[in-house]
């Protein structure tokens, strides 16, 4: 009898061990399957977005490559060019939030397709520019169509991936921007060399041939991009449930789409109750002032560097006639047009590498503040050194430009991840586009003021380099400071974003203590109720938690 009892207990212990091993094997199997799912998302969604980002920035910034001959042929001086390039950011700023609100109603598939077709057509129409008025009008219209693209893609990625997996996708989108610049130089050089073919100028071929691919991409997006993972045809029901379980197991950076308030005033109130986001907007303005000036003026700066005019060693251009005279007196076409355009690809190539390395390090260490700030410090220092090293040699000045691009590009992925964390909750749908809208104020100020300084000061890009370098360095200081100020920036209890769990999970910070009542609901009204579900503070209804979804996955497996 005793032997039988011992045998039974032994069998029970063996069954228990087998159960534990089976459960562990199941978890490992699910984890492996999740990795397969996320790789599939990268191929099917992120790849589309990276291509869209490349086309977006090629069509936005190809003006910088065309400028060398575009300004000469149309008689535009630096101030006219600076104003025209800056006007893009006026409508880009105004329409970002309305575009994203419309995206929520229409669906990203149809909306992004419309934007791609729209900006592709407008970009091609730049070939028809014949005076300053048409130039200004098209830049304004291009800003309307491009304004909603990036924020919509950022937000859509957050619906497919948990917060901890977003830094690298944001990095790839940043690399898409850099790839646009890397490809933009050689493409621009090839199209500019078509000057005279078919009776068109080289810059006209540039605009026509670089705008048309965006129209084709709009058609591809319309048929290939799913509005959410729940309707993705390339995910099985089991895959969707696993993905849902993994999303529920993390603190989600936004509630389900149907829980987002449709009232724009309520959404804006949620955004402006978040002091951390307002702080980041201030940093973003200064950073955008430097980055957009660098992008839109880089080929012109390199051309001036090659011809000895980067520091104003020759008199500054005075209006259209002087601009034409300086261009006519320049060296041959290869030296004055093609070479600067080709060399402009070098800084962006280095920037793509540093962006990848910094983003990988940031995600591995789960830290964003020091990664972003350190990159900004590097860019700011080399901006400040540009006039000094340019006096020594042309090569020294070019190395400074390369290092500015390296630091500025590397700062973008961790900074974007930080903004995404600050926008958690239902306000994210307007929080990120509002951040973009406010920050691109610098995108208007920088290029326009640069054109005015270059045309009137006679010092070339000397003053511009000192001012922009100081601004980028200050951005780094403010980013480091935010790490220590963040704990004082929590919205008051009862405000719109106080219900969000963002304050428990800021990257690079220790979790702040959160008091929960015995029911498991936090004081803000949204909390985890054990492992059985999440009480949504956004719609006062329960949604499945990790345990519920895992049970559904197990049930599906048994079926």
């Amino acid at each position: 009898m005793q032997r039988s009892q011992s045998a039974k207990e032994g069998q029970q212990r063996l069954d228990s061990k087998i159960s534990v091993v089976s459960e562990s094997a199941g978890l490992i199997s699910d984890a492996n399957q999740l990795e397969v799912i996320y790789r599939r998302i990268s191929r099917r969604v992120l790849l589309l977005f990276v291509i869209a980002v490349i086309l977006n920035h090629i069509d936005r910034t190809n003006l910088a490559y065309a400028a060398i001959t575009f300004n000469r042929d149309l008689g535009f001086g630096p101030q006219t060019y600076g104003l025209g390039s800056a006007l893009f950011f006026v409508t880009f700023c105004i329409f970002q939030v309305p575009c994203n609100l419309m995206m929520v109603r229409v669906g990203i598939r149809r909306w992004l397709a419309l934007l791609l077709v729209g900006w592709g057509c407008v970009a091609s129409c730049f070939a028809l520019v014949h005076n300053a008025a048409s130039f200004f009008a098209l830049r304004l219209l291009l800003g309307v169509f491009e304004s909603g693209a990036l924020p919509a893609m950022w937000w859509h990625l957050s619906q497919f991936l948990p917060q901890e997996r977003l830094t690298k996708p944001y990095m790839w989108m940043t690399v898409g921007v850099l790839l646009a610049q890397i490809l933009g130089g050689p493409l621009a050089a090839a199209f500019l060399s078509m000057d005279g073919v078919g009776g068109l100028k080289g810059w006209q071929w540039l605009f026509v041939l670089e705008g048309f691919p965006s129209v084709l991409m709009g058609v591809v997006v319309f048929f290939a991009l799913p509005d959410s993972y729940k309707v993705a045809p390339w995910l099985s029901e089991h895959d969707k449930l696993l993905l849902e379980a993994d999303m529920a197991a993390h603190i989600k950076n936004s509630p389900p789409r149907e829980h987002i308030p449709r009232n724009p005033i309520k959404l804006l109130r949620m955004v402006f109750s978040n002091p951390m986001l307002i702080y980041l907007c201030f940093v973003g303005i200064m950073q955008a002032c430097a980055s957009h000036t660098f992008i839109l003026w880089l080929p012109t700066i390199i051309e001036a560097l090659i011809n000895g005019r980067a520091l104003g060693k020759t008199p500054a251009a005075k209006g259209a006639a002087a601009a034409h005279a300086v261009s006519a007196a320049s060296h041959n076409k290869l030296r004055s047009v093609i070479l600067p355009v080709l060399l402009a690809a070098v800084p962006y190539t280095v920037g793509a590498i540093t962006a990848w390395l910094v983003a990988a390090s940031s995600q591995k260490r789960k830290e964003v503040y020091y990664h972003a700030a350190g990159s900004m410090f590097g860019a700011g220092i080399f901006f400040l050194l540009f006039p000094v090293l340019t006096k020594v040699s042309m090569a020294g000045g070019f190395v400074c430009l390369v290092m500015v691009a390296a630091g500025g590009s590397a700062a973008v992925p961790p900074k974007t991840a930080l903004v995404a964390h600050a926008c958690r909750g239902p306000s994210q749908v307007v929080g990120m586009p509002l951040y973009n809208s406010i920050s691109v104020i610098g995108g208007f100020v920088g290029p326009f003021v640069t054109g005015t300084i270059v045309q009137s000061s006679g010092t070339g890009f000397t003053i511009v380099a000192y001012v922009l370098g100081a601004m980028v360095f200050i951005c780094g200081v403010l980013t480091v400071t935010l790490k220590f100020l963040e704990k004082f920036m929590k919205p008051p209890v009862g405000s719109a974003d106080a219900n969000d769990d963002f304050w428990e999970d800021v990257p690079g910070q220790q979790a702040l203590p959160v008091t929960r009542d015995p029911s498991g609901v936090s004081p803000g009204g949204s909390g985890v109720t054990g492992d059985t579900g999440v009480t949504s503070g956004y719609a006062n209804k329960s949604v499945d938690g990790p345990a519920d979804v895992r049970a559904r996955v197990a049930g599906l497996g048994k079926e």
Side-chain angles (χ1 to χ4, degrees):
M1 184 71 178
Q2 188 174 358
R3 185 178 300 175
S4 176
Q5 183 68 24
S6 299
K8 186 179 294 185
E9 290 176 357
Q11 184 63 39
Q12 288 177 346
R13 285 195 299 270
L14 180 61
D15 290 343
S16 177
K17 290 179 181 180
I18 292 173
S19 176
V20 170
V21 171
S22 298
E23 184 176 350
S24 300
L27 291 174
I28 293 172
S29 176
D30 285 350
N32 292 336
Q33 182 61 23
L34 275 172
E35 292 303 320
V36 173
I37 293 171
Y38 287 127
R39 285 197 296 270
R40 195 175 301 156
I41 289 172
S42 296
R43 291 195 303 269
R44 300 297 187 107
V45 176
L46 184 57
L47 180 59
L48 285 177
F49 286 173
V50 170
I51 295 173
V53 166
I54 291 173
L55 295 174
N56 179 284
H57 279 264
I58 283 179
D59 290 338
R60 180 190 306 185
T61 61
N62 56 11
L63 178 65
Y65 300 107
I68 298 172
T69 54
F70 177 82
N71 291 338
R72 179 197 65 198
D73 293 341
L74 297 175
F76 295 161
Q79 192 169 32
T80 301
Y81 170 73
L83 176 59
S85 60
L87 282 175
F88 167 90
F89 297 102
V90 174
T91 47
F92 188 85
C93 173
I94 293 172
F95 284 92
Q96 281 215 2
V97 172
C99 277
N100 242 40
L101 291 172
M102 184 62 69
M103 179 271 295
V104 173
R105 292 179 178 271
V106 174
I108 189 171
R109 179 177 61 86
R110 286 177 288 182
W111 187 245
L112 185 58
L114 174 65
L115 294 180
L116 278 157
V117 172
W119 87 57
C121 292
V122 172
S124 295
C125 286
F126 272 85
L128 305 176
V129 170
H130 58 281
N131 57 25
S134 58
F135 175 41
F136 296 159
L138 284 174
R139 286 295 286 178
L140 288 168
L141 191 57
L142 186 64
V144 173
F145 281 105
E146 291 209 5
S147 60
L150 274 175
M153 288 186 276
W154 288 341
W155 183 77
H156 198 56
L157 280 175
S158 73
Q159 307 306 298
F160 274 86
L161 302 168
Q163 186 73 44
E164 289 76 5
R165 291 179 177 266
L166 283 175
T167 303
K168 279 191 176 179
Y170 289 152
M171 177 273 296
W172 281 115
M173 293 180 71
T174 302
V175 170
V177 175
L178 298 169
L179 284 174
Q181 305 299 344
I182 294 169
L183 297 173
L187 286 174
F191 297 147
L192 289 172
S193 67
M194 294 174 63
D195 190 51
V197 176
L200 296 178
K201 301 288 187 180
W203 56 266
Q204 290 177 308
W205 280 114
L206 172 68
F207 289 125
V208 170
L209 295 178
E210 290 190 348
F212 183 65
S214 295
V215 178
L216 296 179
M217 188 62 188
V219 177
V220 173
V221 164
F222 183 81
F223 289 104
L225 181 67
D227 278 314
S228 77
Y229 71 85
K230 294 180 180 179
V231 296
W234 33 266
L235 289 177
S236 67
E237 287 302 316
H238 185 266
D239 291 341
K240 293 173 185 177
L241 288 174
L242 277 178
L243 188 55
E244 184 179 352
D246 194 49
M247 296 285 281
H250 296 79
I251 298 173
K252 290 192 254 184
N253 61 329
S254 104
R257 184 174 299 173
E258 60 268 24
H259 295 161
I260 295 173
R262 294 303 182 100
N263 187 332
I265 302 301
K266 185 176 180 181
L267 281 169
L268 289 173
R269 190 171 69 249
M270 288 180 175
V271 172
F272 286 113
S273 70
N274 187 339
M276 187 177 182
L277 181 60
I278 302 304
Y279 184 100
L280 286 169
C281 286
F282 178 69
V283 176
I285 290 173
M286 291 193 292
Q287 191 176 12
C289 184
S291 63
H292 289 297
T293 300
F294 185 83
I295 290 170
L296 289 168
W297 283 92
L298 179 61
T300 302
I301 294 173
I302 294 175
E303 188 269 337
L305 192 63
I306 291 173
N307 294 314
R309 295 182 284 105
L311 303 182
K313 292 180 181 178
T314 59
K318 299 289 184 180
H324 181 79
V326 169
S327 179
S330 295
H331 299 303
N332 59 50
K333 183 177 179 180
L334 175 63
R335 183 179 177 86
S336 63
V337 179
I338 305 301
L339 184 59
V341 170
L342 288 173
L343 286 177
V346 176
Y348 297 116
T349 303
V350 176
I353 296 170
T354 57
W356 188 90
L357 292 174
V358 171
S361 174
S362 175
Q363 181 158 308
K364 179 180 179 180
R365 291 168 175 79
K366 297 184 179 179
E367 197 288 322
V368 292
Y369 294 94
Y370 293 135
H371 284 81
S375 301
M376 294 175 192
F377 287 144
I381 289 170
F382 279 100
F383 246 137
L384 293 169
L385 288 175
F386 175 75
V388 178
L389 295 184
T390 298
K391 288 180 181 178
V392 177
S393 69
M394 181 186 75
F398 185 72
V399 168
C400 282
L401 295 177
V402 172
M403 297 308 295
V404 167
S409 302
V412 175
K415 186 204 70 174
T416 305
L418 182 57
V419 174
H421 277 282
C423 294
R424 296 181 74 136
S427 60
Q428 187 188 34
V429 71
V430 293
M432 294 192 76
L434 188 66
Y435 165 81
N436 240 25
S437 295
I438 294 174
S439 65
V440 296
I441 292 172
F444 173 80
V445 174
F448 174 61
V449 172
T450 296
T452 302
I453 292 174
V454 171
Q455 182 162 316
S456 61
S457 70
T459 59
F461 295 96
T462 304
I463 297 175
V464 173
Y466 286 138
V467 172
L468 296 182
M471 291 177 69
V472 176
F473 194 88
I474 291 171
C475 286
V477 174
L478 292 174
T479 302
V480 170
T481 305
L482 179 61
K483 179 177 175 64
F484 304 98
L485 292 180
E486 179 275 324
K487 62 183 177 181
F488 302 109
M489 292 186 172
K490 182 176 179 180
V493 174
S495 67
D497 275 350
N499 295 341
D500 204 346
D501 285 324
F502 161 66
W503 305 103
E504 300 178 62
D505 189 36
V506 177
Q509 298 277 30
Q510 290 185 343
L512 298 177
V514 176
T515 304
R516 299 188 188 274
D517 65 24
S519 67
V521 181
S522 65
S526 176
V528 178
T529 56
D531 193 35
T532 58
V534 178
T535 303
S536 172
Y538 309 115
N540 296 320
K541 61 175 74 173
S542 294
V543 296
D544 289 339
D548 296 308
V549 180
R550 284 198 296 268
R552 288 163 56 196
V553 172
L556 186 66
K558 291 177 182 178
E559 291 176 7

